[in-house]
Amino acid sequence: MSFLEEIQKRRTFGIISHPDAGKTTLTEKLLLFGGAIQEAGAVKSNKIKKGATSDFMEIERQRGISVATSVLAFNYRDRKINILDTPGHKDFAEDTFRTLTAVDSVIVVIDVAKGVEEQTEKLVQVCRMRNIPMIVFINKLDREGKDAFDLLDEVEQKLGLRVTPLSFPIGMGYDFKGIYNIWEKKINVFSGDNKQTISEGVEFDDVNNPELDNLVGEDSANTLREELELVYEVYPEFNKNEYEEGKLQPVFFGSALNNFGVKELLDCFIDIAPNPQPKMSDTRLVDSKEEKLTGFVFKIHANMDPKHRDRLAFVKIVSGTFKRNTPYLHVRNNKKVKFSSPNAFFAEKKEIVEESFAGDIVGLHDTGNFKIGDTLTEGEKLNFKGIPSFSPEHFRYVNNADPLKAKQLYKGLDQLMDEGVAQLFTLDLNGRRIIGTVGALQYEVIQYRLEHEYGAKCTYENIAVHKACWVQPEDEKNEEFKEFKRVKQRYLAKDKQGQLVFLADSPFTIQMTQSKYPTVKLHYTSEFE
């Protein structure tokens, strides 16, 4: 198979939503269609003791939430599909933002009863900024929820999208009879008893056919006919180019838990979703069809396997072919590196792959060489943009609770911070360490993982910090900067990269500092030119 054919087979997408809208369940069902698993386990269901394939950290199993992005791949109808399942919980939004730099399209999951929630709004905003193509999946139709047209309006207004339904529900909740697939002109009748297997649809090109009354009952059939007329009148016709440019978003209805409407979503997705897309670097636009390899690290995960202290760097391949045992340039270190066991993923199962192509995600074993945002090439010096560190919103001192385990604690902190779970600042004045996170739940995750993966215990202590600002002086030798350092020395720290950071205790302090020292610039992200 030629190199270009391989790239055209690839589809890499992320699934985003508010917590609890059914993201992980949908991921599981997609894997079921790919034949990758025999039966699916819902995140919370006690009937199925399996636990979801994509949640592999112990803390996720205990709480029924996903805290780390998982990468899953499967083949379906001669396409290779890579799914990035992201955490919905807002405390882990930073991980999700980074993941969005590695996908070519997105599926947005919305809960039929709750409608559009705030976390969904934030994530969709990021997708719109980058013009990522989106498909909307309205989930949990087997429960009572909002009217389909009201939901479509809400999606348009709150998320600023322009939608067109490609499937439509017949009833809802107790009256839920099935789904009419507008895209393929088929009807799927809901029986409610096939949660873990796959149901077939009935071909139906004419809804005026009286056969429909026998399938779903006369009332439901008439309602469907009226609603479909409305749909054809009100919503624009589906146009693939507009979808790919991020100007039109198709909508599907279904119930992931009951495995209903998922196949329709997947079949349409495969037909319309974009191939691997070009990506902007600091020097030029890199096209996915180029022969030479380029790729970047968007995530690092320590201790994938607790028995072996291993770290995996997840690399999204932007162009070319990644081959095993071939030396590539690590741009930031300016060193050649080669990898003897690059991994492809399937939740917990990893396989060593000989070669991967643009659009794929590869896991590379890392001994501490990689940071998030690093680029690999065949020699060209370029860096991909748009993978920043955000200024944290919560700050705490971290103290060692077991003096005999100091080494384990620092090693653990070091590795977890490389993962981008949180950020570590070391005070210039006394060397005390401060952890900054985007959400408070991360402190628990860090404490839990330090103890279970590194055998170290830590305690936290509050500190009055409002924001971390990265400091950029116009001239390091001028008097103004020296005075700034002298006056503010109690609040100065270094981040992990050794950049100078000012820990301000209030918005007022930031304002005063900026006006008093105009040549010292303060930034809220670490990525500034």
Side-chain angles (χ1 to χ4, degrees):
M1 208 183 221
S2 80
F3 163 68
L4 287 176
E5 282 173 331
E6 283 287 358
I7 291 179
Q8 259 132 23
K9 278 175 65 176
R10 303 288 189 272
R11 301 279 185 276
T12 304
F13 71 98
I15 300 188
I16 59 173
S17 80
H18 198 80
D20 243 18
K23 210 173 32 249
T24 306
T25 312
L26 178 63
T27 309
E28 289 270 304
K29 296 301 154 103
L30 292 171
L31 292 177
L32 186 65
F33 286 104
I37 47 179
Q38 261 48 65
E39 56 168 319
V43 181
K44 295 210 171 76
S45 154
N46 297 329
K47 291 190 201 99
I48 311 165
K49 288 284 187 280
K50 274 182 69 258
T53 314
S54 60
D55 286 354
F56 54 80
M57 273 163 55
E58 190 52 38
I59 193 160
E60 303 191 2
R61 292 211 174 103
Q62 286 179 3
R63 292 185 155 223
I65 55 168
S66 303
V67 295
T69 306
S70 25
V71 181
L72 306 153
F74 65 93
N75 291 312
Y76 180 72
R77 280 186 24 197
D78 203 34
R79 298 277 196 283
K80 171 145 194 263
I81 299 173
N82 298 304
I83 308 182
L84 300 175
D85 175 24
T86 62
H89 200 290
K90 75 170 184 303
D91 288 1
F92 302 95
E94 204 174 336
D95 195 23
T96 305
F97 285 130
R98 286 197 208 107
T99 303
L100 288 176
T101 59
V103 301
D104 298 311
S105 65
V106 161
I107 292 181
V108 185
V109 184
I110 291 175
D111 181 324
V112 69
K114 295 179 186 151
V116 175
E117 297 171 272
E118 58 153 352
Q119 200 46 36
T120 322
E121 289 184 49
K122 279 192 192 150
L123 295 167
V124 167
Q125 217 174 345
V126 177
C127 297
R128 282 179 52 208
M129 261 163 40
R130 303 198 170 127
N131 292 331
I132 302 176
M134 287 179 264
I135 294 181
V136 179
F137 181 69
I138 294 178
N139 193 13
K140 305 192 179 178
L141 280 201
D142 51 316
R143 304 188 184 174
E144 297 299 323
K146 303 184 179 183
D147 172 73
F149 287 108
D150 291 349
L151 273 167
L152 292 168
D153 286 348
E154 195 176 316
V155 169
E156 291 207 310
Q157 283 155 11
K158 281 199 181 169
L159 300 179
L161 303 181
R162 187 167 153 254
V163 300
T164 178
L166 291 186
S167 78
F168 209 80
I170 308 170
M172 186 176 296
Y174 286 118
D175 307 329
F176 181 52
K177 296 287 194 322
I179 286 172
Y180 182 69
N181 181 349
I182 298 173
W183 173 251
E184 293 178 12
K185 302 234 182 316
K186 264 188 188 170
I187 200 157
N188 249 21
V189 182
F190 178 64
S191 60
D193 55 8
N194 51 352
K195 284 193 180 181
Q196 291 153 22
T197 50
I198 296 166
S199 60
E200 288 302 312
V202 184
E203 294 285 339
F204 229 91
D205 28 4
D206 179 20
V207 282
N208 292 319
N209 186 336
E211 211 14 52
L212 183 65
D213 303 359
N214 302 340
L215 273 175
V216 297
E218 202 174 319
D219 293 350
S220 300
N222 288 332
T223 314
L224 176 67
R225 290 174 187 130
E226 284 162 23
E227 292 186 325
L228 285 177
E229 259 177 48
L230 242 177
V231 168
Y232 295 134
E233 270 172 39
V234 176
Y235 294 100
E237 217 173 300
F238 176 73
N239 173 319
K240 190 166 185 250
N241 291 349
E242 286 188 16
Y243 156 74
E244 285 188 352
E245 288 164 10
K247 292 179 183 154
L248 182 68
Q249 287 76 27
V251 180
F252 284 87
F253 291 83
S255 158
L257 183 66
N258 292 303
N259 208 349
F260 202 79
V262 178
K263 183 171 188 297
E264 290 72 4
L265 172 73
L266 187 57
D267 285 342
C268 173
F269 172 81
I270 274 189
D271 291 341
I272 67 174
N275 295 333
Q277 295 294 298
K279 192 163 173 65
M280 196 63 202
S281 73
D282 52 1
T283 53
R284 63 187 185 86
L285 186 68
V286 178
D287 191 339
S288 60
K289 298 180 189 64
E290 292 177 22
E291 298 272 322
K292 291 200 163 170
L293 175 100
T294 61
F296 65 93
V297 177
F298 68 92
K299 173 184 170 59
I300 291 174
H301 202 321
N303 304 320
M304 293 284 284
D305 178 350
K307 293 188 206 69
H308 309 282
R309 295 289 148 146
D310 59 345
R311 288 174 36 150
L312 272 187
F314 290 78
V315 175
K316 158 83 189 249
I317 302 173
V318 179
S319 67
T321 312
F322 182 95
K323 294 192 172 77
R324 189 177 152 188
N325 285 327
T326 305
Y328 294 115
L329 177 69
H330 182 321
V331 176
R332 182 174 53 85
N333 288 351
N334 201 10
K335 270 201 191 108
K336 285 275 175 107
V337 277
K338 63 180 184 181
F339 304 93
S340 58
S341 55
N343 284 300
F345 296 95
F346 173 78
E348 288 180 304
K349 298 200 258 311
K350 303 192 299 245
E351 299 159 12
I352 291 177
V353 281
E354 290 300 326
E355 54 179 11
S356 300
F357 299 91
D360 283 337
I361 310 285
V362 183
L364 303 177
H365 286 281
D366 174 30
T367 48
N369 297 325
F370 284 118
K371 294 193 171 109
I372 284 171
D374 280 353
T375 306
L376 285 175
T377 67
E378 287 191 28
E380 187 179 353
K381 296 204 168 166
L382 56 82
N383 285 294
F384 289 105
K385 297 177 99 142
I387 309 170
S389 288
F390 296 91
S391 175
E393 293 172 20
H394 302 262
F395 296 87
R396 292 184 194 169
Y397 282 122
V398 58
N399 301 321
N400 184 3
D402 180 352
L404 298 173
K405 296 281 177 76
K407 200 169 137 214
Q408 286 89 324
L409 178 75
Y410 295 136
K411 183 181 168 191
L413 281 176
D414 208 46
Q415 295 200 348
L416 291 178
M417 299 304 139
D418 276 350
E419 258 186 59
V421 177
Q423 293 177 55
L424 189 67
F425 303 104
T426 308
L427 282 178
D428 283 1
L429 196 64
N430 53 14
R432 284 194 75 179
R433 288 174 170 76
I434 292 169
I435 293 182
T437 68
V438 178
L441 186 61
Q442 272 149 317
Y443 289 109
E444 273 184 61
V445 172
I446 292 167
Q447 212 164 14
Y448 183 91
R449 292 186 60 189
L450 280 171
E451 191 174 335
H452 290 81
E453 293 172 18
Y454 298 93
K457 291 189 172 163
C458 73
T459 56
Y460 298 117
E461 197 181 315
N462 285 336
I463 172 177
V465 175
H466 160 70
K467 265 263 187 257
C469 311
W470 279 269
V471 179
Q472 184 191 23
E474 261 175 39
D475 175 11
E476 298 205 356
K477 295 189 179 69
N478 74 10
E479 287 305 310
E480 190 175 299
F481 182 54
K482 286 179 186 161
E483 191 199 339
F484 164 80
K485 286 207 323 202
R486 198 181 68 248
V487 173
K488 299 290 183 193
Q489 66 172 8
R490 286 182 47 213
Y491 308 104
L492 294 180
K494 298 273 195 310
D495 72 1
K496 227 182 146 203
Q497 275 67 45
Q499 288 173 292
L500 187 65
V501 177
F502 170 50
L503 301 171
D505 57 6
S506 69
F508 179 67
T509 308
I510 297 176
Q511 220 176 330
M512 290 299 293
T513 309
Q514 297 252 265
S515 57
K516 196 170 168 194
Y517 307 105
T519 66
V520 180
K521 288 201 174 64
L522 302 177
H523 299 274
Y524 290 145
T525 66
S526 63
E527 192 179 90
F528 49 82
E529 296 305 315

